[in-house]
């Protein structure tokens, strides 16, 4: 039987989550996130055989969100968990993603392979590798742009520029989102998603060149783990001039001014211009995120 969690399941769910795993959710994270609304009883799916817990899927969403967005943890106590996990994953309708945080050398760990097999069986067949980058205050701040000016703007302006930037994007989630709902609706969703993050909205910037032409945008942000790059992009007509460096430098400065000692970011391994910009600006790869979508 499959059902979502109720209050009285808490002890046995926490017992499962105490086991070490390649997945993100620990017992402590579950308790914290349940409190802030990023995890919820109705987003936590259980598989039961009689009264015995056979499987578990923990989903994450924004605290102000209406639906779960990402699978954070799979657990099972059956010999072949793949069909059971696939069944559990299918309980949450698409769009859904499964994020596994690991190290490049552990990418093919059997515990990861078996989870991706279950995700694929449930329809999450696209696997994207996202190198994770980190800047720390031990590195110098990158030089700030002398060719772009940065200004705040309203949400409408950010929706407009997100829509333009999505054209020709090498980012897998952007391409999937545009294919699913169209460029405009995806831009609206994305701006709402960034607004839900704990980073200060008033730090978002549009970037213009010396002639006044719109070049791109820069959104410093934060998640539960601390400051993050958030989002940056260059409109198609302005690509190829290395403006990603100017935008990333601005984000790094804004976050550092607000006290960030560590700034994290990830990008798809296929997004080579973005990965190159991180390397040039003193960001170092510290981990790998594997995303099934
Ligand atoms: C990533 C991005 C900001 C890079 O733009 P940029 O600063 O203009 O890139 P660069 O000037 O460093 O470009 C380096 C090379 O990659 C090419 N390039 C840049 N973006 C490209 C794209 N989306 N598709 C194909 N080629 C691209 C450039 O033409 C240039 O080619 P060249 O060396 O032959 O001249 C831009 O592609 C973009 O806005 N993408 C969509 C948003 C995005 O992915 N943001 C990052 C999310 S983590």
């Amino acid at each position: 039987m499959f059902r979502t969690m109720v209050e009285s399941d808490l002890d046995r769910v926490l017992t499962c989550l105490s086991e070490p795993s390649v997945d993100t959710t620990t017992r402590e994270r579950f308790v914290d996130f349940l409190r802030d609304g990023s995890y919820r009883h109705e987003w936590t799916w259980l598989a039961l055989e009689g009264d015995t817990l056979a499987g578990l899927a923990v989903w994450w969403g924004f605290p102000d969100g209406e639906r779960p967005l990402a699978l954070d943890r799979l657990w099972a106590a059956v010999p072949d968990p793949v069909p059971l996990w696939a069944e559990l994953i299918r309980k949450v309708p698409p769009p859904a993603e499964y994020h596994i945080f690991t190290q490049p050398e552990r990418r093919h760990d059997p515990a990861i392979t078996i989870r991706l097999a279950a995700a694929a069986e449930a329809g999450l067949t696209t696997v994207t590798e996202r190198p994770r980058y980190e800047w720390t205050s031990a590195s110098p701040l990158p030089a700030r742009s002398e060719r772009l000016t940065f200004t705040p703007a309203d949400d409408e302006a950010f929706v407009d520029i997100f829509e333009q930037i999505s054209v020709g994007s090498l980012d897998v989630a952007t391409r999937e989102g545009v294919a699913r709902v169209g460029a405009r609706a995806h831009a609206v969703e994305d701006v709402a998603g960034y607004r839900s993050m704990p980073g200060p909205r008033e730090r978002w910037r549009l970037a213009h060149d010396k002639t006044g032409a719109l070049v791109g945008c820069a959104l410093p942000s934060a998640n539960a783990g601390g400051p993050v790059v958030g989002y940056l992009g260059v409109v198609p007509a302005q690509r190829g001039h290395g403006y990603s460096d100017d935008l990333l430098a601005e984000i790094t400065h804004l976050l550092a001014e607000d006290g960030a000692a560590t700034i994290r970011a990830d990008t798809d391994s296929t997004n080579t211009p973005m990965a190159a910009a991180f390397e040039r600006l003193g960001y170092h790869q510290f981990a790998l995120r594997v995303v099934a979508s």
Side-chain angles (χ1 to χ4, degrees):
M1 184 182 77
F2 294 88
R3 65 162 172 83
T4 53
M5 180 184 169
V6 292
E7 188 69 47
S8 56
D9 294 316
L10 184 63
D11 281 348
R12 56 180 174 170
V13 166
L14 291 180
T15 303
C16 304
L17 296 177
S18 302
E19 292 177 16
S21 171
V22 294
D23 282 331
T24 313
T25 315
T26 58
R27 185 189 171 102
E28 293 70 30
R29 179 176 162 108
F30 191 79
V31 171
D32 286 351
F33 280 30
L34 210 50
R35 201 177 300 125
D36 84 2
S38 320
Y39 290 161
R40 301 196 197 161
H41 290 127
E42 64 272 25
W43 294 350
T44 303
W45 279 89
L46 312 185
L48 294 138
E49 264 172 10
D51 204 32
T52 308
L53 194 56
L56 174 67
V58 177
W59 291 81
W60 174 92
F62 287 115
D64 61 355
E66 283 164 15
R67 45 160 295 145
L69 297 172
L71 179 62
D72 263 7
R73 175 86 190 242
L74 290 171
W75 173 92
V78 293
D80 175 14
V82 170
L84 181 71
W85 281 340
E87 192 81 8
L88 274 168
I89 297 168
R90 275 194 221 101
K91 297 293 171 197
V92 170
E97 293 183 342
Y98 178 22
H99 293 226
I100 299 175
F101 295 84
T102 187
Q103 293 297 324
E105 64 277 11
R106 296 194 55 200
R107 165 69 182 82
H108 298 288
D109 186 310
I112 293 179
T113 305
I114 195 173
R115 283 170 164 76
L116 293 177
E121 198 169 308
L124 307 181
T125 51
T126 303
V127 176
T128 308
E129 298 195 2
R130 295 177 61 86
R132 308 198 67 210
Y133 292 94
E134 185 177 81
W135 176 89
T136 70
S137 51
S139 298
L141 276 165
R144 219 159 179 168
S145 179
E146 291 177 0
R147 51 184 184 163
L148 298 182
T149 51
F150 293 93
T151 49
D154 62 17
D155 283 2
E156 186 70 17
F158 282 104
V159 169
D160 283 345
I161 195 165
F162 270 52
E163 182 181 359
Q164 292 180 52
I165 288 169
S166 69
V167 177
S169 174
L170 302 170
D171 183 80
V172 174
T174 302
R175 296 164 81 111
E176 282 184 353
V178 170
R180 182 169 45 82
V181 292
R184 185 73 186 177
H186 183 254
V188 170
E189 272 180 17
D190 247 7
V191 167
Y194 284 103
R195 285 211 72 142
S196 296
M197 293 173 69
R201 165 67 180 84
E202 63 274 14
R203 299 300 243 169
W204 297 10
R205 297 288 184 264
L206 291 183
H208 293 85
D209 68 12
K210 290 232 160 73
T211 71
L214 184 61
V215 167
C217 67
L219 280 72
S221 191
N223 61 24
V228 297
V229 166
Y231 186 71
L232 66 87
V234 174
V235 296
Q238 302 272 12
R239 287 180 189 154
H241 305 297
Y243 282 132
S244 45
D245 290 20
D246 305 57
L247 300 170
L248 183 56
E250 189 64 20
I251 289 174
T252 310
H253 274 268
L254 290 169
L255 291 170
E257 275 169 15
D258 290 346
T262 302
I263 302 169
R264 290 183 162 178
D266 44 64
T267 195
D268 296 345
S269 57
T270 47
N271 200 344
T272 48
M274 196 59 234
F278 283 123
E279 305 273 353
R280 283 194 298 267
L281 267 75
Y283 281 72
H284 302 286
Q285 190 184 345
F286 73 97
L288 181 72
R289 185 198 295 242
V290 182
V291 182
S293 60

